[in-house]
Amino acid sequence: MAGRRKEPVNLVIAKGKKHLTKEEIEQRKAGEIKPIIDGISPPDYLLKDQKEEFVKIADQLKKLKIMGETDVDTLARYVVANSLYIKTVKKIRKPSVINDPAEFDFYTRILDKYFKMCRNCANDLGLTITSRTKLVVPEPPKPKSNKFDKFKKGPNDD
């Protein structure tokens, strides 16, 4: 039976359901996997406009600290599938396709396949609302202050 996956320590702290010592927090932080963002660049097989889209999305994901080098191929597949989806949408809008039921059905099936590819990659990368909510770590609550805090002495006060 597989063990339960540990939540990121910041999430545990934010939930406030478990007390961890400073030492436990440091140990857990040291053991967490952090994405490597040094070598993220678009693969050679992408076209020029696809590379631009790749860079744009990759920059956004790096700011969120959820993309690493291992996600490059997934993002590239997303960009390719999205590009093909857009091209198919343009084809399906042509009057010759709209007026031919067999051809329209053919293109809608292709459109559905590209949509599913996009959605799967988007979920893996945190590009959808639901997948992003699973990735976002809430901020821990700020300690409450009271009217007597001003009378407390700090470690440097004499």
Side-chain angles (χ1 to χ4, degrees):
M1 189 164 120
R4 191 169 164 203
R5 193 179 68 157
K6 287 188 177 184
E7 295 177 325
V9 72
N10 288 338
L11 180 59
V12 173
I13 293 168
K15 285 181 175 179
K17 293 182 180 178
K18 185 175 180 181
H19 175 72
L20 297 173
T21 64
K22 289 180 182 179
E23 185 179 317
E24 288 172 323
I25 291 170
E26 292 303 317
Q27 286 177 345
R28 295 225 7 211
K29 280 186 178 181
E32 287 180 4
I33 298 172
K34 295 171 184 74
I36 300 168
I37 59 171
D38 295 341
I40 296 176
S41 61
D44 294 335
Y45 61 84
L46 295 179
L47 303 173
K48 183 181 177 191
D49 59 331
Q50 292 172 339
K51 286 182 181 184
E52 291 170 3
E53 183 69 12
F54 178 97
V55 170
K56 181 180 134 190
I57 296 171
D59 287 344
Q60 293 170 351
L61 293 173
K62 285 192 282 187
K63 284 180 188 175
L64 293 172
K65 298 178 183 172
I66 58 174
M67 182 178 175
E69 285 181 8
T70 55
D71 302 314
V72 167
D73 285 328
T74 304
L75 180 55
R77 287 184 186 104
Y78 169 80
V79 170
V80 168
N82 191 46
S83 167
L84 293 170
Y85 178 86
I86 292 168
K87 286 179 183 177
T88 307
V89 167
K90 290 177 181 176
K91 275 188 178 180
I92 210 168
R93 288 182 180 161
K94 293 180 180 178
S96 61
V97 175
I98 292 173
N99 295 328
D100 182 358
E103 196 170 356
F104 185 79
D105 184 57
F106 172 75
Y107 281 113
T108 54
R109 288 178 193 212
I110 291 174
L111 201 61
D112 186 52
K113 288 179 183 181
Y114 291 142
F115 176 78
K116 287 177 182 175
M117 286 181 209
C118 286
R119 187 180 58 208
N120 288 340
C121 291
N123 285 334
D124 290 347
L125 293 166
L127 295 175
T128 63
I129 293 170
T130 52
S131 64
R132 208 169 24 259
T133 57
K134 294 174 186 174
L135 298 172
V136 173
V137 177
E139 291 292 321
K142 295 181 181 175
K144 296 179 182 178
S145 63
N146 63 42
K147 60 185 176 183
F148 300 108
D149 282 346
K150 61 183 174 185
F151 298 112
K152 288 183 181 177
K153 289 189 175 185
N156 296 332
D157 295 339
D158 287 327

